[in-house]
Amino acid sequence: MRKESRVILALDEVNGERAMWVAGQVADLVDAIKINWPLVLSTSSETITRLSELAPVICDFKVADIPNTVSLIVSHAVARGAEGVIVHGFTGSDSVRAAVQAAHDRQIFVVTEMSHPGGAEFTAPASESLARMAVECGAAGIIAPATRPERVAALRRVVGDLLILSPGVGVQGGSASVALRKGADYVIVGRSIYGAEDPRRAASEIVREAREAGGV
Ligand code: BMP
């Protein structure tokens, strides 16, 4: 995955036509497009392939299952054109290893601490163990919360040079520049871009903020 703007679009737009329009508006500005169940279920898995023609696609399926099922989901996402897949880590190292193996040369990202308030209940206390396991299992990176930037810094100390993708910017209250300065490689931004009247302008503003935060 390229590392230029350090911004990943979370395309949770459920109108398929508008989703493709938004993707076309910002594909050259963002480093990747992350899609989740809402868009895949409201359109079809063919959307993965169509989007992958515009930008690298990360399938945020938060896969949480036994190794065999994990492996089936990851290999089908990759066959559709996914460059990366997001999985949960609480399922254990055998499931995460199955994801890494099924992804071959594509990337697996493991959820650590989630960005919403409920993420503090169960995921926060386990986040450093989950991050350590992601490293041991050969994942490409982790997901860490821009809403709690000090946790991004703490998780960076655990994962070394693994990639950190950080959601929670904008509507959830997190700041792109702070998350990047605390150690995130990329910020994940959804509604603040795809929900804007002018998604290209909204994306450009966040890209400018990311650039000002330094790095790369
Ligand atoms: P938004 O910028 O609209 O809040 O979108 C954030 C995106 O990141 C959503 O797709 C959400 O599913 C995802 N996400 C998150 O917000 N917090 C997490 O801890 C993990 C996520 O994948």
Side-chain angles (χ1 to χ4, degrees):
M1 187 161 69
R2 63 198 181 207
K3 193 172 175 187
E4 290 165 12
S5 67
R6 305 170 78 195
V7 176
I8 295 172
L9 168 68
L11 190 54
D12 294 327
E13 167 64 56
V14 292
N15 177 318
E17 222 168 278
R18 183 175 156 89
M20 290 308 297
W21 175 76
V22 171
Q25 289 286 304
V26 306
D28 63 318
L29 295 178
V30 298
D31 283 337
I33 297 175
K34 181 184 86 66
I35 64 169
N36 200 328
W37 292 115
L39 179 57
V40 172
L41 293 175
S42 66
T43 58
S44 81
S45 57
E46 183 58 29
T47 302
I48 302 168
T49 314
R50 290 181 65 202
L51 287 170
S52 70
E53 287 156 12
L54 299 175
V57 171
I58 297 173
C59 285
D60 178 8
F61 292 159
K62 296 207 178 61
V63 189
D65 219 311
I66 60 167
N68 183 61
T69 311
V70 168
S71 175
L72 290 169
I73 295 169
V74 170
S75 51
H76 280 273
V78 165
R80 289 270 182 213
E83 198 51 52
V85 181
I86 297 176
V87 305
H88 268 300
F90 65 80
T91 49
S93 55
D94 53 352
S95 287
V96 175
R97 280 207 174 87
V100 170
Q101 209 170 357
H104 297 293
D105 60 338
R106 311 298 167 87
Q107 300 182 303
I108 293 296
F109 301 100
V110 178
V111 176
T112 59
E113 180 170 331
M114 295 194 73
S115 62
H116 62 310
E121 294 172 16
F122 295 103
T123 64
S127 60
E128 296 191 16
S129 310
L130 292 165
R132 214 165 293 118
M133 187 196 57
V135 175
E136 286 163 9
C137 291
I142 61 165
I143 309 296
T147 47
R148 289 179 222 104
E150 70 289 352
R151 298 299 300 145
V152 175
L155 290 161
R156 168 57 72 203
R157 290 192 284 276
V158 175
V159 300
D161 58 5
L162 239 61
L163 296 175
I164 298 184
L165 282 49
S166 200
V169 167
V171 177
Q172 293 184 53
S175 145
S177 51
V178 174
L180 293 167
R181 276 197 220 103
K182 289 288 184 183
D185 293 286
Y186 301 90
V187 284
I188 294 173
V189 187
R191 288 165 286 180
S192 302
I193 296 177
Y194 75 77
E197 209 171 297
D198 184 344
R200 186 168 177 86
R201 180 187 293 179
S204 302
E205 277 164 18
I206 295 165
V207 168
R208 188 173 337 113
E209 185 188 338
R211 220 159 259 145
E212 282 165 11
V216 210

